Amino acid sequence: QVQLVDSGGGSVQTGGSLSLACEPTIDIGSSYCFGWFRQTPTKEREAVGFIYGRSSRTNFADSVQGRFAISQDRSSNTLYLQMSRLRPEDTAVYYCAAGYYSGADSCPTSANYYYSWGQGTQVTVAS
């Protein structure tokens, strides 16, 4: 079973930047979709952004499009969610996720598709 280790996060002022890391126990260049979801106590788990390992194709939720990016560091087998122009509504626990994928479309955005999850990391954006 794929295991994921979340790290990064913390607190930042509105407009600031943070980076989250995800280290899976499988090759980040493999036929998997990797991504992040976020959750608050009052909301269901929400898709943030995804990357397909083989092609590095990314897709993002409308709410973060243009502000967030995902990159791969193959030397350390680590994925990064780079968050900029952060807003208070980005405050949540962020979870890295992984699921096998062999399609030609963008990575699925439903949490039900992903069966491996990191432990989560808190991101707090102060207004």
Side-chain angles (χ1 to χ4, degrees):
Q1 183 176 346
V2 178
Q3 294 183 327
L4 307 167
V5 177
D6 283 314
S7 62
S11 298
V12 67
Q13 295 291 319
T14 295
S17 300
L18 281 174
S19 183
L20 306 182
C22 176
E23 296 180 66
T25 53
I26 58 169
D27 182 0
I28 61 172
S30 60
S31 297
Y32 271 73
C33 280
F34 302 93
W36 277 267
F37 290 80
R38 64 188 182 187
Q39 190 167 19
T40 68
T42 58
K43 289 185 179 180
E44 292 185 357
R45 195 162 291 194
E46 174 191 21
V48 175
F50 305 89
I51 186 167
Y52 180 48
R54 279 200 171 276
S55 67
S56 301
R57 178 181 62 232
T58 58
N59 52 298
F60 294 92
D62 290 344
S63 59
V64 306
Q65 184 73 47
R67 300 189 296 123
F68 290 13
I70 295 175
S71 61
Q72 297 166 294
D73 182 348
R74 293 180 185 265
S75 65
S76 62
N77 202 56
T78 302
L79 298 154
Y80 295 95
L81 177 67
Q82 294 152 323
M83 307 181 290
S84 62
R85 290 183 280 151
L86 283 161
R87 305 166 180 168
E89 54 264 40
D90 294 318
T91 296
V93 177
Y94 284 69
Y95 297 89
C96 181
Y100 178 78
Y101 185 69
S102 60
D105 296 326
S106 297
C107 287
T109 59
S110 170
N112 292 331
Y113 186 86
Y114 296 85
Y115 48 83
S116 295
W117 293 85
Q119 77 279 14
T121 184
Q122 177 72 45
V123 171
T124 302
V125 184
S127 57

